[in-house]
Amino acid sequence: MELQGEKSFKTKTIANAALAIGKLPFDVATKSLEELAAVKVIGKSVAAKVREIVETGTMKELEALLAETPPGVVEIMSIKGLGPKKVLVIWKELGIENIGELFYACNENRLMEAKGFGLKTQEDIRKSIEFKMANSGRFLYAHVHGFAKGLLSGLREIAGTELISFTGAFRRKAEIVDGLDILIGAPVLEEVVSWIESSEDLQLVERKDDVLTAESGSGVKVYIRFCTAEAYFKELVLQTGSAEHLEELSSRVKEVPSVIASEEEYYRAAGLPFIEPELREGVFEFSLAEKNALPQLICYEDLKGTLHNHSTWSDGASSLEEMARFCRDEMKIEYLGICDHSKSAFYAKGLSEERVLAQHAEIDALNAKLSPFKIFKGIESDILFDGSLDYPVEILSQFDFIVASIHSVFKMSEEKATSRLIKAIENPYTTILGHPTGRLLLSRSGYPVDIPKVIDACAANGVVIEINANPLRLDIDWRWHQYAIEKGVMLSVNPDAHSVRGFNDIHYGIIAARKGGVAAENCLNALNLTEISAFFESRRAHENTHHTI
Ligand SMILES: [Zn+2]
Ligand SMILES: [Zn+2]
């Protein structure tokens, strides 16, 4: 009621009555309307509502309120510490309509500055959402990665062998995992049991044959399996691939020698080159392997720069100079593309036209100071509902490159979303399509998009597609990378960093790109400074031939 702006005395009456009813010495369902109306804390108007609930299981007024409130906002109300006033700010002022968006906003420090919030509230909300996610038993790869690394090194020490590895989805670096699988090629089950029992963060849940199941304090299930040293590499293959991968693999293997010294030998027995664990999903790896066309997968060191990042000019937490110096001095890369939010993103301090020009003056000054390091003038331009970009041509033409993304009005049919994206792709000023589906893993599915059509449009217009490296996004999904590559579309691994810390996300983007079979040559920001300058130059020539839009 408060969310929908009902008068406060009315809300209070209902809340007080609800509280009082819970304390009554009798069951309200057994009383008639008159009897209820006679009870002081209930009264006539509330008594009618109580009877309605008893008879129909709900209340028309409640249903009407719920119909006017997005279901995600109702779900947000269930978060500990969030009363209606705060939820109202989140919904109406920050434009957040579900838990996924709220989690994302916490991670981007967007809540901190909203009325009635502070760093502590933001942290509390972030934690309780993480807890809610963990309860579903599924985890983002990024959220278990640190724990997993520590666990494996502890186990390696106890097991006293190098024959130990992750297997399953975590070894395949799936974006979401529902637990950790570990294989140990040594008879050390008892030692591992006592190690788990003495551990503070792990609890032994089950012990069955040669499989131990444990659970971490944050709810991550860990499955530890044991085999002999001789069987280790064979088991490693069999416990790593997805069901689809293993089915295809077993149809190709005639006979595997009983003892093998590496996974390569197993694949050789199937007449195939070695297939990297990330690719063992049964999606496209066999068709490439049999043509001997498996790519040299991209790695972090291939990247020469980073595009699509934010600064304090919009909703970032680090200044432009801090961002640039971090790239130059810590990451040792050659360029930074800065893409603050455009003017429609009011909740993220999007840049007005005047502020765009002021930022460009700062970039020119920094470029003179930090040379040969270069900051490219970019913008993350909102794709408006009709598919147009957020500035007039005079401003659009001032940028070195433009990332075009959807940030508002997600409720669209597939047809509408696809045509909205394609209109933006056909805009001659668009360089990169940002987070193409708007999904937030584990919490928001994104708008429905005809992805092949969107990729085809990027191919026709020379537009690059982003692999947004934020571990909640990893958008465009790795399952589409090969299709993009086949069509000759470049991909760009973009951290979408909102602070210097945010650059770290680029590692998750690289993992996604590797799963998609991306090589350095398919990646825009693997181009060095000279090459990418030439690329942006050629796009500007493209703008000039299409400038009547
Ligand atoms: Zn964005
Ligand atoms: Zn962004």
Side-chain angles (χ1 to χ4, degrees):
M1 289 171 80
E2 275 188 64
L3 286 183
Q4 296 295 356
E6 289 280 3
K7 298 220 166 45
S8 73
F9 77 85
K10 215 176 144 192
T11 314
K12 273 201 191 108
T13 312
I14 299 276
N16 289 342
L19 203 69
I21 288 169
K23 291 182 184 158
L24 289 175
F26 54 84
D27 181 358
V28 288
T30 61
K31 303 287 173 188
S32 71
L33 182 62
E34 293 70 31
E35 286 169 316
L36 287 174
V39 179
K40 196 168 159 256
V41 290
I42 298 182
K44 209 170 150 200
S45 77
V46 178
K49 296 186 203 304
V50 173
R51 281 311 306 170
E52 193 186 342
I53 293 174
V54 170
E55 280 156 28
T56 67
T58 182
M59 213 171 88
K60 279 211 188 75
E61 202 182 333
L62 174 68
E63 292 300 314
L65 285 171
L66 285 174
E68 283 169 33
T69 317
V73 173
V74 177
E75 211 190 332
I76 287 176
M77 293 191 72
S78 70
I79 293 174
K80 223 175 74 207
L82 278 184
K85 280 204 183 65
K86 284 204 170 70
V87 175
L88 203 57
V89 172
I90 287 171
W91 178 25
K92 297 287 177 174
E93 286 178 29
L94 298 172
I96 290 167
E97 292 202 349
N98 61 52
I99 289 192
E101 290 169 12
L102 180 60
F103 188 57
Y104 187 78
C106 291
N107 284 327
E108 311 286 69
N109 278 326
R110 200 171 283 162
L111 235 63
M112 225 170 83
E113 288 170 21
K115 202 172 125 221
F117 291 80
L119 183 62
K120 180 157 181 332
T121 320
Q122 176 175 288
E123 272 307 287
D124 289 347
I125 295 172
R126 201 174 58 78
K127 281 207 188 103
S128 68
I129 299 177
E130 258 175 24
F131 182 75
K132 232 180 150 74
M133 283 178 169
N135 268 352
S136 73
R138 306 178 76 212
F139 299 85
L140 294 181
Y141 177 89
H143 283 172
V144 293
H145 180 248
F147 164 72
K149 255 175 72 182
L151 176 68
L152 195 75
S153 69
L155 279 171
R156 180 176 286 127
E157 213 167 291
I158 286 301
T161 173
E162 280 306 305
L163 300 183
I164 176 168
S165 169
F166 291 113
T167 59
F170 187 78
R171 184 168 184 233
R172 297 198 306 274
K173 300 193 172 149
E175 61 276 34
I176 292 169
V177 296
D178 52 15
L180 298 173
D181 296 277
I182 294 172
L183 176 68
I184 303 180
V188 289
L189 186 135
E190 295 305 332
E191 289 85 335
V192 172
V193 167
S194 39
W195 183 74
I196 292 173
E197 281 171 349
S198 67
S199 139
E200 271 175 20
D201 193 35
L202 274 183
Q203 212 176 357
L204 194 62
V205 178
E206 192 181 32
R207 177 184 172 157
K208 207 172 161 197
D209 303 325
D210 57 353
V211 186
L212 298 178
T213 307
E215 192 172 331
S216 79
S218 49
V220 183
K221 286 252 173 27
V222 181
Y223 307 93
I224 308 171
R225 297 179 178 82
F226 300 83
C227 67
T228 62
E230 291 72 34
Y232 179 75
F233 288 104
K234 207 168 184 174
E235 282 301 316
L236 193 54
V237 171
L238 296 177
Q239 293 183 24
T240 296
S242 71
E244 293 78 8
H245 177 88
L246 293 175
E247 196 181 320
E248 176 79 37
L249 184 63
S250 70
S251 74
R252 290 163 186 259
V253 170
K254 293 197 179 60
E255 206 186 326
V256 184
S258 56
V259 178
I260 51 173
S262 67
E263 290 188 295
E264 279 85 345
E265 280 189 44
Y266 199 110
Y267 284 92
R268 208 175 301 140
L272 295 167
F274 177 69
I275 298 178
E276 298 275 2
E278 291 99 316
L279 300 182
R280 299 183 201 169
E281 296 283 357
V283 179
F284 58 80
E285 68 277 24
F286 289 103
S287 62
L288 292 179
E290 90 201 337
K291 288 183 276 183
N292 220 353
L294 282 172
Q296 170 81 40
L297 298 180
I298 190 168
C299 61
Y300 177 77
E301 290 69 27
D302 290 323
L303 300 182
K304 302 291 186 291
T306 163
L307 304 165
H308 188 177
N309 302 288
H310 300 258
S311 73
T312 45
W313 278 90
S314 65
D315 59 348
S318 306
S319 72
L320 196 48
E321 181 160 4
E322 284 166 333
M323 295 293 273
R325 285 192 184 276
F326 189 87
C327 288
R328 187 187 71 165
D329 303 335
E330 305 296 322
M331 295 169 74
K332 315 267 186 228
I333 50 177
E334 301 171 17
Y335 55 88
L336 161 70
I338 202 79
C339 291
D340 277 306
H341 284 287
S342 64
K343 62 181 180 184
S344 292
F346 59 89
Y347 51 84
K349 289 199 290 164
L351 303 187
S352 65
E353 278 129 40
E354 298 74 50
R355 292 182 69 229
V356 166
L357 300 176
Q359 187 189 47
H360 286 185
E362 186 183 333
I363 293 176
D364 288 337
L366 281 171
N367 277 340
K369 198 155 97 178
L370 302 175
S371 170
F373 183 86
K374 175 144 185 172
I375 304 172
F376 285 107
K377 296 168 183 160
I379 193 87
E380 181 173 19
S381 175
D382 267 29
I383 299 174
L384 304 178
F385 192 65
D386 67 358
S388 59
L389 297 185
D390 206 7
Y391 294 109
V393 166
E394 306 83 77
I395 295 292
L396 291 176
S397 60
Q398 307 279 323
F399 296 106
D400 292 317
F401 74 109
I402 291 175
V403 175
S405 317
I406 289 182
H407 290 116
S408 60
V409 199
F410 292 106
K411 278 185 221 87
M412 294 176 281
S413 65
E414 179 174 312
E415 208 186 345
K416 170 66 193 173
T418 306
S419 66
R420 184 176 173 187
L421 287 172
I422 289 177
K423 174 126 191 264
I425 291 163
E426 287 171 347
N427 188 310
Y429 293 96
T430 299
T431 322
I432 301 175
L433 180 64
H435 44 73
T437 72
R439 75 174 184 186
L440 294 174
L441 288 168
L442 289 179
S443 45
R444 182 176 82 191
S445 54
Y447 33 85
V449 182
D450 186 334
I451 294 182
K453 255 194 187 163
V454 166
I455 295 176
D456 292 348
C458 287
N461 293 278
V463 167
V464 177
I465 298 180
E466 167 172 279
I467 300 172
N468 191 293
N470 186 307
L472 271 166
R473 292 190 181 272
L474 302 177
D475 181 13
I476 189 168
D477 190 276
W478 62 263
R479 293 159 188 83
W480 292 104
H481 297 179
Q482 283 300 310
Y483 184 79
I485 291 168
E486 274 165 32
K487 298 283 165 173
V489 173
M490 292 275 267
L491 297 151
S492 185
V493 179
N494 295 343
D496 200 353
H498 283 67
S499 66
V500 293
R501 247 179 358 144
F503 286 121
N504 186 51
D505 284 352
I506 216 161
H507 291 283
Y508 301 113
I510 287 288
I511 286 172
R514 288 173 64 88
K515 276 195 82 58
V518 174
E521 72 216 39
N522 311 123
C523 178
L524 181 66
N525 53 318
L527 296 180
N528 66 28
L529 181 56
T530 316
E531 292 163 341
I532 201 156
S533 302
F535 176 86
F536 289 152
E537 227 20 76
S538 74
R539 289 297 299 174
R540 290 183 79 112
H542 168 85
E543 281 166 21
N544 293 335
T545 53
H546 292 77
H547 72 278
T548 42
I549 47 169

